Amino acid sequence: MALGIASAGLGKAAITPAELSEILAEASAELALSASDDVHSAKDPAGAAQWIARLVPVWRELASRGQLSSIQDGGGAPPALDRVLDLIDGFLALFAARVPQAVRDHERQAAIEKAKHEWEFTADALTAIVCLLNSDGLVLRANRVVEHWGLGSVVDVIGKSAHAMLHPDCTSPNCAVARGLQTALPKLRGGEPQEFEFYSPAIDQTLQFTLRPMRAGDDMNAGMRDARSVLVVTDVSALRRVQKALENVNLNLESRVRLRTRELNESNRDLRNEVVRREHAEHELRASRNNLALLSEQLIQAQEGERRRIALELHDSVGQSLSAIKYTLERAIIMIQRPDLGSPEGVLALAVQRIHETADGIRAISMNLRPQMLDNLGAASATSWFCRDFAEIYPTIGVCARITAKNAEIPKRVATHLFRCVQELLNNVAKHARAKSALVLLEREGPLLSLEVRDDGVGMPDEAEDPAQLRGSGIRNIRERAEMTAGQFTLSSLPGRGTSVRIVWQVAPDDAMDG
């Protein structure tokens, strides 16, 4: 109520009872109205203060005049001064009750404003865009990160759609950001949070979109939801690049692990193969050592046998012949000294004949040791001669020699070994095979020189394929000669079907030839 009655005349004339009654009635009515009004009203404390300011001068005036004891309010009410004091006390009590609440309301409003500003400062300090969207996806509020991203001022983006704020110049109907926001908004209205990412290859940037619906009230009343939502746009390009680099590192690491594992497996396999090879080499070394021991034994036996044979031949043939020649020459000397015994001419002629026979015997021994034909003519001619000589010695064995290689086509490093192999093989045919025929093939085809000896005899036992199992057959010696001259040795034999031995040499262009 307005204070239309001024107190300007209080100092000039006495207050009439009617005026006092009117002031007191209005004050009582105002006090009653203020006491029954909303306690949170901001007007009550101001009204109480005004009435106190109006009533205090009236009380002072009445007290100074000394008229208060005779003035009555006409209705049996207390004296006017007491009534004024009661009204002042009422308005003071009302003022005391309402002012703290107003102060508290003001402080609460100030705290709210402060928290609001602090929250705005916090949102502006973020690196991500934070926007408040309405139900249609339009921006209601936004932090100042939009300015840092070069999207315009905060005022410029208010009222725009989130897509228009982020892609102001986008005209593509298939924009992934627009599709993602259009898909997310209906689900946000249903209370479902949404997230998606967008990658721009042109600027190598990845943005993460997080949308959350706003709740109206606490979690106890989760069914009531605000139609607005919060959009957070975060630049996760560096994170995604780091993740991609980490994935590449992991892939590279896995690839390197697989590669090293494969290399390790190959190394293990090679190591196992090497172990097997070395075991095989050790086995072959032991076999070679055994063969060498056997060969050494056979060599000693062969040397002793050859020496014994030469000694017997020298003793039986050359020695006896020389003894006979000595006896003949001594007889001739005696006949010369004693002419009566007759002419020594016949005795000398007999000595000469025996000398020729001795020379032939020595030539035969020398031929057996090393045919001169091998040195004079070559391996092919010596092999042909030996086959003819063998056929004469063993007429029951039909020997067929097919020698198409020429002396000049046989390397010197092979010639002697080839001839000895033919000798050994034909001697084996004569001693062990019980064959009726034998075939000797000596051919040169391009860089290959081959020697083959076949027979139709009884064959060899199964262990003959391993020459180390044979004793006294000569096969071991033949194989050693083949390996010594880089030849490839092959033996095939079946019981009752004969035996075939083949040796093939690779002739190099720089090999010195026999012829």
Side-chain angles (χ1 to χ4, degrees), residues 325-346:
I325 293 170
K326 176 178 175 290
Y327 175 76
T328 304
L329 291 176
E330 288 177 348
R331 184 181 175 188
I333 291 172
I334 294 172
M335 292 178 70
I336 293 173
Q337 294 175 353
R338 296 179 61 183
D340 57 325
L341 295 178
S343 175
E345 184 177 354

Side-chain angles (χ1 to χ4, degrees), residues 362-373 385 423:
I362 294 174
R363 189 180 297 108
I365 295 173
S366 176
M367 186 66 68
N368 289 330
L369 292 177
R370 181 176 179 84
Q372 294 182 353
M373 188 177 298
W385 165 82
Q423 279 185 316

Side-chain angles (χ1 to χ4, degrees), residues 465-477:
E465 294 184 1
D466 184 3
Q469 302 296 329
L470 299 177
R471 302 182 68 86
S473 65
I475 295 297
R476 186 183 301 107
N477 297 334

Side-chain angles (χ1 to χ4, degrees), residues 68 70 82 110 112 123 160 170 197 203 249 358 381 433-434 443:
L68 297 179
S70 61
D82 293 339
I112 292 173
K160 292 184 178 180
C170 179
E197 287 188 2
I203 57 176
V249 169
T358 302
S381 300
R434 296 190 294 229
E443 300 175 336

Side-chain angles (χ1 to χ4, degrees), residues 396-398 425-426 428-439 453-461 492-501:
T396 59
I397 301 176
L425 289 172
L426 288 180
N428 284 342
V429 171
K431 294 178 182 178
H432 307 290
R434 296 190 294 229
K436 295 181 179 179
S437 63
L439 174 63
V453 177
R454 304 177 196 166
D455 65 70
D456 59 356
V458 296
M460 302 177 69
S492 60
S493 179
L494 291 174
R497 292 192 175 182
T499 303
S500 174
V501 175

Side-chain angles (χ1 to χ4, degrees), residues 67-337:
Q67 301 174 357
L68 297 179
S69 60
S70 61
I71 300 175
Q72 304 291 328
D73 56 2
L81 184 58
D82 293 339
R83 182 70 178 275
V84 171
L85 294 175
D86 290 340
L87 289 173
I88 290 173
D89 290 339
F91 279 113
L92 286 174
L94 178 64
F95 185 82
R98 301 295 174 86
V99 168
Q101 182 65 37
V103 172
R104 288 194 296 271
D105 292 343
H106 178 73
E107 291 177 350
R108 183 182 298 109
Q109 186 66 25
I112 292 173
E113 291 295 331
K114 181 179 179 182
K116 176 181 177 182
H117 288 300
E118 290 178 350
W119 179 250
E120 289 179 351
F121 295 152
T122 302
D124 292 339
L126 297 175
T127 59
I129 294 178
V130 181
C131 300
L132 178 64
L133 307 180
N134 64 8
S135 59
D136 296 327
L138 301 180
V139 178
L140 299 178
R141 300 190 67 180
N143 62 352
R144 294 188 178 276
V145 178
V146 296
E147 299 175 355
H148 302 158
W149 286 24
L151 302 177
S153 65
V154 176
V155 178
D156 294 337
V157 301
I158 301 299
K160 292 184 178 180
S161 66
H163 174 249
M165 175 188 68
L166 295 169
H167 288 176
D169 300 327
C170 179
T171 59
S172 173
N174 296 321
C175 179
V177 175
R179 290 200 311 269
L181 293 172
Q182 290 173 1
T183 305
L185 287 176
K187 296 181 179 179
L188 284 171
R189 297 186 188 103
E192 299 181 19
Q194 300 294 310
E195 289 186 2
F196 66 93
E197 287 188 2
F198 168 74
Y199 174 70
S200 175
I203 57 176
D204 190 21
Q205 184 184 46
T206 302
L207 299 180
Q208 184 182 60
F209 293 79
T210 303
L211 296 99
R212 295 288 186 270
M214 295 188 63
R215 296 181 180 274
D218 55 13
D219 292 338
M220 298 297 293
N221 192 18
M224 297 179 59
R225 301 182 186 276
D226 197 328
R228 293 174 298 176
S229 59
V230 176
L231 168 64
V232 179
V233 184
T234 308
D235 187 355
V236 294
S237 303
L239 177 62
R240 294 296 178 262
R241 283 193 289 268
V242 171
Q243 289 177 344
K244 186 175 180 180
L246 182 60
E247 291 176 358
N248 294 334
V249 169
N250 291 335
L251 291 176
N252 187 24
L253 181 60
E254 292 177 358
S255 176
R256 292 176 61 184
V257 169
R258 287 194 298 269
L259 178 61
R260 295 301 299 270
T261 302
R262 184 167 60 251
E263 291 177 352
L264 182 60
N265 292 333
E266 292 177 355
S267 298
N268 290 336
R269 184 173 62 253
D270 294 340
L271 182 60
R272 288 193 296 269
N273 293 336
E274 181 66 17
V275 170
V276 172
R277 187 189 66 80
R278 291 196 177 186
E279 289 178 351
H280 181 68
E282 290 178 0
H283 175 72
E284 290 187 345
L285 182 60
R286 286 192 295 269
S288 298
R289 189 180 295 113
N290 296 335
N291 291 340
L292 181 60
L294 292 174
L295 287 173
S296 298
E297 181 183 353
Q298 288 187 352
L299 178 60
I300 293 173
Q301 292 177 356
Q303 287 178 346
E304 293 299 326
E306 189 68 16
R307 289 171 180 174
R308 189 180 300 110
R309 184 181 65 83
I310 295 173
L312 289 175
E313 289 184 358
L314 291 176
H315 179 273
D316 293 341
S317 61
V318 178
Q320 293 178 3
S321 297
L322 291 177
S323 298
I325 293 170
K326 176 178 175 290
Y327 175 76
T328 304
L329 291 176
E330 288 177 348
R331 184 181 175 188
I333 291 172
I334 294 172
M335 292 178 70
I336 293 173
Q337 294 175 353

